Structures are given as structure tokens and as C-alpha cells.
């Protein structure tokens, strides 16, 4: 019961940036260039939720809270949700839903390509986020969902590539994603080392 | 208050003007931060009085202009110009100012002068963007024009907009407006003007030569590596009206300025 209340709380909290953007859009409070504001804000929220998703496992290990693991799917889906609005804003405001212009942008502007690929990587993760798919894919599910690592790296690159004179903001995300990936790398090395030790021990007894 | 400034005959567009609130709250003025909303929040920290513009280099009468000389010494006109940013957004702004040519003539450029270099105020204590550790701009901000571009009647020194004194975030007390070039050429809050015989190094060109050229003429046929320049978003826009319009050669001022670039390969001299 308490877990459910917390999950609803988190759901509303994650939706709040969207609700605030929608409210500002409806009241004309997005400034002179709502297109740009929407693009920047939804892109940034998507990256923030990606970082939060990556933070779940370490947080689980450090704090022992089982509840955070049950939030992971929702937070990950929110990363995808904001990425979709980001992409839709690009389609609507920047290229006027023209496939020709999209193709041209993808070829000529690598940061657009990189961002688009990041979104493509998140797409199967969102589709297979249900329990049903988790069961069907079994151990492949986990492997598939490691696609979030390249997606997060590409999202950082997408931001860095657009920095014109100040790379500070991009650096913050790069450091966060870098630290979270480094934590996983170290954990998997420890895990392998431990299983090697266990295997050796088993062989000797 | 410049309500009495006469309108610049034949120089103004009759397109819908971008509302004052948008013109003064959506700015690129990296000295105060890289976000469009930073200048309106922080530019008030800049002192604009007293203000001195030093004119030097290849001129017969080098010297200084003080704020009073600038505000009282020229016949002010209102000119409604299109402003096209290299980032593919655009505005229509009623400026108040005088032709740069009038200013330059007072200092008498010598026969050797071929280029003009401009410099923005660089005062760390009052410009928080210049204190950013991660900024890679080599302050002060510099821009430049060929002398014939500088002497062109469209090239304006603005001291106001919408009939009022220029707000700090728009480049008070004195800024350049070159309507047929991308916005970054229209340097703000000028403290130095130097006449030269060779092309000066400008800030954006130095930072990323493959992206920003010295000429920076608005040209839908030459794309910026990060943005297509074929279209622009005329501000303000809204969710229901993205206000995307095709970009015009020389920002619609081809008739007046195309002759300046006769015979030049504009994809090379971008």
C-alpha cells in the first residue's frame, strides 16, 4: 500500500516537467521562441531521466532499498517519453514534418544523427518494458536493455556537439553518465573476479 | 526617448514587428551567459554611463567618443530591419540609430584603411558570462567588416529600439546592426573601433572557422554545419504556428548589397 502511494507520487513528479511545459505553452509563457524552449527542455529532461535510470542500480546497492528497482521501468519510460516529445518538436518546428529535410539533416548534421540513433536505441527498450516481454525474452531481456548505455553516451555526445562556446552543461552530464558507467564496469569486473575465485575454489574441493 | 527620430526613408520593412518583450528577453549576449534568457536577467549589472568608444588605427583623427557625443551628436533615424540569427531564428526590429558611415567619416579613415574592427566591452566584474570557466571564447568579443560594408548606408549604429534607449541586453549604449549578415556580426556594447589595412580576426571565426566565416552574409544556399539555413523561424512562434519561412538571399537586402560581393564565390567566402 505504501509502495503504491510512493509509485504514484513518483509518477506525478516525473510528469510535472511535462505538465509545466504544457501549461506554459497553453498560456503563451514559453517566450519568444517556444519551439526552441520545448526542444531544449524536453531534450534535457530526457537526458536527466536517462541519468536517473542509470542511478537506480547503484542506489539499490548503496541503500538496499528494493523499492527503487520497481521504479526503474517508469523512470526509463519517462526518459523515452521526453525523448519522443523532443523528436516531435524537431519534426514539427524545425523540419515541418518533411521526410526530405529529415533525410538531409540526418546526412549533413551528425549531431542530429547521433540524437536520432539514441532515440532509436531507446525504442525497443520502451516496447519490451512490459512484464510479458521480460518473460518472453528471458536472459536476452537484460542484454537488450544494456542498449541504454550507448543511448546515454550518444545523448551526451548529442548535447556536447551542439555546445557553441560553453561546454559546461554537457560536461556535467558526461561526468554523471561516465561515473555511472564506470561503476557498472567495476562491478562487472568484481563479479567476474569473484566468480573466478569461486570456480577455482570449487575445483579444488 | 527617441520618439522624434525620423523614419529612415526607403530602408524599413513593413513586415510584422517582433513584440518589444520578445526583442528584449530573447538575446544572444554571451558576456552575460549562453542561455537566451541570461542577458535580460544579468545585463543590468553592466554600467553604461560613463561610456567611451575609442576610434584608432588608420584614421587621420584618432580619438574618443563619449556617451554624450554619441547620443547628441548624430541625426537619429528609425529603421525597421529584419534580423536573422545564424541559429535560424529571426526577428523584425525597429532600431533607432545613425549610419556607421557618419561616425567613421568624423575620424577620417586614411587611404590605406580597408577593414574595420569592433570590440565589445570586457569587464569581468559586471559580465558574469566572461567569468565562466568552461567558456572557450577569447574575450573581448570582436567583430569586423570590410570598409565598403561599413560605409554602406544600410549599416547602422543603433542607440535605441522601439523609440526608446537601447536596453543593456540589446547592446547598450551603442551597437552595430548589419541587416544582411547573420546576427553575430552586429556586435553589441562597442568600446573600440579600429581601422585596418588587413582583415581582422573575429571572435566566432577564430573559435570555429569552419562554421563561421568573416563575411557571414545571410545565404540560404550555404548551410551552417549545424543548421540548415534554407528556412528560419520568425519570432515569436507558437505551437500552432511554427512560423517557418524561407530565408532570403542577403536576408532580403540583395538589391542593396549584392554588388558588394560581385565575382566572389560566396560558398568559399561565407
Amino acid at each position: 500500500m505504501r509502495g503504491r502511494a510512493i509509485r504514484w507520487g513518483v509518477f506525478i513528479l516525473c510528469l510535472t516537467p511535462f505538465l509545466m511545459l504544457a501549461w506554459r505553452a497553453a498560456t503563451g509563457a514559453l517566450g519568444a521562441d517556444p519551439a526552441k524552449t520545448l526542444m531544449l527542455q524536453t531534450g534535457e529532461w530526457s537526458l536527466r531521466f536517462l541519468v536517473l535510470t542509470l542511478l537506480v542500480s547503484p542506489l539499490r546497492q548503496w541503500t538496499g532499498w528494493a523499492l527503487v528497482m520497481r521504479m526503474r521501468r517508469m523512470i526509463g519510460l519517462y526518459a523515452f517519453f521526453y525523448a519522443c516529445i523532443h523528436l516531435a518538436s524537431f519534426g514539427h518546428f524545425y523540419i515541418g514534418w518533411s521526410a526530405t529535410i529529415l533525410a538531409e539533416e540526418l546526412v549533413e548534421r551528425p549531431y542530429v544523427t547521433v540524437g536520432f540513433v539514441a532515440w532509436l536505441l531507446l525504442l525497443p527498450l520502451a516496447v519490451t518494458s512490459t512484464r510479458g516481454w521480460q518473460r518472453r525474452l528471458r536472459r536476452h531481456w537484460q542484454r537488450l536493455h544494456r542498449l541504454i548505455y550507448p543511448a546515454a553516451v550518444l545523448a551526451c555526445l548529442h548535447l556536447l556537439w551542439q555546445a557553441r562556446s560553453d561546454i559546461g552543461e554537457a560536461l556535467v552530464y558526461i561526468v554523471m553518465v561516465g561515473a555511472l558507467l564506470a561503476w557498472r564496469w567495476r562491478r562487472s569486473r568484481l563479479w567476474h573476479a569473484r566468480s573466478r575465485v569461486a570456480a577455482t575454489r570449487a575445483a579444488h574441493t | 526617448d527617441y520618439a522624434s527620430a525620423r523614419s529612415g526613408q526607403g530602408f524599413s520593412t513593413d513586415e510584422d514587428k517582433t513584440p518589444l518583450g520578445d526583442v528584449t528577453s530573447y538575446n544572444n549576449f554571451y558576456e552575460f551567459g549562453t542561455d537566451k534568457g541570461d542577458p535580460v536577467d544579468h545585463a543590468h549589472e553592466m554600467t553604461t554611463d560613463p561610456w567611451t568608444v575609442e576610434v584608432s588605427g588608420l584614421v587621420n583623427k584618432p580619438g574618443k567618443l563619449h556617451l554624450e557625443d554619441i547620443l547628441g551628436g548624430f541625426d537619429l533615424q528609425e529603421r525597421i530591419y529584419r534580423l536573422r540569427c545564424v541559429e535560424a531564428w529571426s526577428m523584425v526590429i525597429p532600431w533607432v540609430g545613425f549610419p556607421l558611415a557618419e561616425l567613421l567619416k568624423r575620424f577620417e579613415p586614411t587611404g590605406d584603411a580597408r577593414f574595420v574592427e569592433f570590440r565589445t566591452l570586457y569587464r569581468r566584474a559586471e559580465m558574469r558570462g566572461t567569468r565562466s570557466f568552461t567558456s572557450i571564447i577569447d574575450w573581448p568579443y570582436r567583430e569586423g567588416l570590410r570598409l565598403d560594408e561599413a560605409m554602406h548606408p544600410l549599416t547602422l549604429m543603433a542607440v535605441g529600439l522601439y523609440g526608446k534607449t537601447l536596453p543593456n541586453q540589446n547592446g547598450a549604449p551603442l551597437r552595430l546592426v548589419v541587416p544582411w549578415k547573420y546576427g553575430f556580426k552586429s556586435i553589441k556594447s562597442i568600446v573600440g573601433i579600429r581601422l585596418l589595412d588587413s582583415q581582422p580576426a573575429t571572435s566566432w571565426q577564430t573559435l570555429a572557422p569552419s562554421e563561421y566565416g568573416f563575411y557571414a552574409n545571410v545565404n540560404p544556399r550555404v548551410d551552417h554545419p549545424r543548421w540548415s539555413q534554407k528556412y528560419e523561424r520568425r519570432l515569436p512562434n507558437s505551437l500552432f504556428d511554427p512560423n517557418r519561412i524561407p530565408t532570403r538571399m542577403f536576408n532580403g537586402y540583395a538589391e542593396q548589397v549584392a554588388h558588394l560581393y560581385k565575382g566572389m564565390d560566396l560558398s568559399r567566402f561565407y
Side-chain angles (χ1 to χ4, degrees), chain A residues 25 32-36 38 92-96 101 104-105 108-109 111 161-168 171, chain B residues 22 26 30 34 87 132 134-137 212 223-228 230 233 235-239 242 244:
Chain A
D33 196 357
K36 181 142 193 174
L38 267 184
H92 183 56
F93 292 111
Y94 284 72
I95 60 172
I101 301 183
E104 195 185 296
E105 291 284 323
E108 284 179 21
R109 272 163 274 281
Y111 78 86
W161 218 315
Q162 289 173 84
R164 291 177 65 202
S165 71
D166 196 325
I167 54 169
L171 273 183
Chain B
D22 293 330
Y26 189 87
Y30 283 15
T34 54
E87 298 165 347
S132 164
T134 46
S135 168
I136 49 177
I137 291 183
Y212 310 97
D223 277 346
H224 182 278
R226 302 172 196 223
W227 304 283
S228 164
K230 294 183 187 71
R233 302 189 313 285
L235 304 188
N237 59 41
S238 75
L239 294 191
R244 250 171 109 252

Side-chain angles (χ1 to χ4, degrees), chain B residues 21-59:
Chain B
D22 293 330
V23 173
T24 58
S25 65
Y26 189 87
N27 309 95
N28 278 329
F29 198 164
Y30 283 15
E31 280 81 344
F32 299 105
T34 54
D35 194 272
K36 297 281 182 297
D38 285 335
V40 66
D41 290 340
H42 307 304
H44 65 88
E45 292 165 6
M46 172 173 69
T47 317
T48 58
D49 189 5
W51 192 273
T52 311
V53 182
E54 195 191 0
V55 183
S56 61
L58 301 174
V59 284

Side-chain angles (χ1 to χ4, degrees), chain A residues 17-199:
Chain A
F18 170 76
L19 293 176
M20 283 173 68
L21 279 173
W23 173 252
R24 285 169 65 198
T27 55
L30 281 177
D33 196 357
K36 181 142 193 174
T37 311
L38 267 184
M39 284 284 288
L40 289 181
Q41 295 275 330
T42 52
E44 203 155 322
W45 277 109
S46 177
L47 191 48
R48 282 178 192 146
F49 279 107
L50 273 179
V51 169
L52 282 175
T53 314
L54 289 175
L55 189 63
V56 167
S57 286
L59 207 60
R60 162 87 171 87
Q61 185 165 332
W62 299 329
T63 63
W65 297 335
L67 194 63
V68 289
M69 282 310 267
R70 298 199 346 241
M71 305 287 178
R72 188 166 65 176
R73 168 172 38 194
M74 182 163 69
I75 300 173
L77 281 173
Y78 264 113
F80 182 67
F81 171 67
Y82 284 102
C84 287
I85 307 177
H86 183 65
L87 183 63
S89 311
F90 180 70
H92 183 56
F93 292 111
Y94 284 72
I95 60 172
W97 301 111
S98 152
T100 331
I101 301 183
L102 176 66
E104 195 185 296
E105 291 284 323
L106 287 176
V107 172
E108 284 179 21
R109 272 163 274 281
Y111 78 86
V112 177
T113 323
V114 162
F116 192 71
V117 170
W119 179 82
L120 279 181
L121 291 178
L122 291 180
L123 183 62
L125 308 197
V127 172
T128 61
S129 65
T130 60
R131 270 183 224 289
W133 272 105
Q134 208 163 355
R135 259 197 310 272
R136 250 167 282 165
L137 291 171
R138 289 187 204 157
R139 62 194 169 79
H140 298 299
W141 187 87
Q142 200 156 18
R143 209 183 285 162
L144 175 70
H145 279 247
R146 285 193 191 127
L147 281 179
I148 192 177
Y149 307 152
V153 170
L154 291 179
C156 286
L157 188 62
H158 176 64
L159 182 66
L160 180 68
W161 218 315
Q162 289 173 84
R164 291 177 65 202
S165 71
D166 196 325
I167 54 169
E169 198 191 14
L171 273 183
V172 169
Y173 286 104
I174 289 168
V175 166
M176 287 193 292
V177 167
L180 289 166
L181 292 186
W183 179 84
R184 283 173 169 76
W185 183 69
R186 200 169 147 263
R187 181 186 60 171
S188 81
R189 277 194 45 183
L190 282 176
W191 191 81
H192 283 299
R194 239 179 255 146
S195 52
R196 252 199 319 276
V197 170

